[in-house]
Amino acid sequence: MTLLGTIAAINRYPVKSMMGEELNAALVTTAGLAGDRAYALADGDNHIGTAKIQRKWAPLFRSRARYIVEPNGNGLVPAEMTLPDGSRVMTDEPGINDRLSELLGFSARLITEKPPGLKLESPPLGQVPESDDSPTIDFPVPNGFFDLGSLHLLTTATLDTLRSLNPAVRFEPRRFRPNFVVQTTAE
């Protein structure tokens, strides 16, 4: 048997595009980590909240979500959100949509089920937005509140390669929202 690497970090993101929580252990189910991206925000145009469009959803990236009660993979568990001003609110609080809409500056709703026609707004593939009014395109959201796969692995070898290709940029694992960061072994 060849050791390819070891798990260096386990992360879960209860609310899509918010910072998540680092874990010592996690239940992995057929749908990914229990409780991962169980919640998301959507706007009136049925766009899901994403850190890909900073001009619109930036307060999400400055917020953090965590579970007080560990999800067991059977049903929804409320999550605590810490907003940029340090205030803490629960996902099941009355008036939570109003509070999150105020945070974002437009009408938004916290969702736990993928509504028909949910869309992910993104810069065109391969393009970095030049300004706040740069064009975007919509993609369907095929898998719950995940951009694609329900389990995301990131290796330290990938981070090292990115850093070698562009040493001026800080490639932090949390930017990629991985569930597992795998410390690869030296060859």
Side-chain angles (χ1 to χ4, degrees):
M1 185 180 286
T2 303
L3 177 67
L4 300 176
T6 56
I7 295 174
I10 305 171
N11 301 288
R12 177 175 54 208
Y13 306 91
V15 179
K16 179 178 175 50
S17 292
M18 285 188 180
M19 299 306 296
E21 54 189 344
E22 190 164 343
L23 306 170
N24 292 322
L27 173 63
V28 179
T29 72
T30 57
L33 265 62
D36 191 39
R37 294 166 180 93
Y39 297 89
L41 277 89
D43 68 10
D45 293 325
N46 225 16
H47 286 116
I48 193 169
T50 177
K52 291 171 181 55
I53 305 295
Q54 284 288 307
R55 67 179 180 248
K56 181 176 181 181
W57 299 100
L60 291 184
F61 193 69
R62 294 190 314 268
S63 300
R64 179 172 302 280
R66 71 182 185 106
Y67 289 107
I68 295 171
V69 174
E70 186 64 24
N72 63 10
N74 296 321
L76 197 61
V77 175
E80 178 187 71
M81 297 176 287
T82 303
L83 304 180
D85 66 2
S87 62
R88 294 180 179 185
V89 295
M90 296 298 292
T91 54
D92 61 352
E93 273 185 28
I96 192 63
N97 288 338
D98 292 337
R99 182 77 186 269
L100 294 171
S101 294
E102 181 182 327
L103 171 71
L104 292 167
F106 58 86
S107 181
R109 63 195 187 284
L110 187 66
I111 56 176
T112 58
E113 299 277 331
K114 181 180 150 191
L118 188 64
K119 302 170 283 196
L120 174 70
E121 185 179 14
S122 176
L125 294 177
Q127 293 185 19
V128 176
E130 299 291 327
S131 66
D132 281 352
D133 61 352
S134 293
T136 62
I137 57 175
D138 290 340
F139 291 96
V141 181
N143 183 15
F145 299 141
F146 299 95
D147 291 353
L148 191 55
S150 54
L151 195 60
H152 182 187
L153 304 176
L154 178 65
T155 67
T156 55
T158 298
L159 291 169
D160 291 344
T161 299
L162 291 170
R163 290 173 183 138
S164 73
L165 293 171
N166 194 343
V169 175
R170 267 183 65 183
F171 290 98
E172 295 293 330
R174 68 184 187 150
R175 168 64 187 90
F176 299 95
R177 304 278 199 302
N179 296 119
F180 294 99
V181 176
V182 177
Q183 173 71 50
T184 51
T185 57
E187 300 206 19

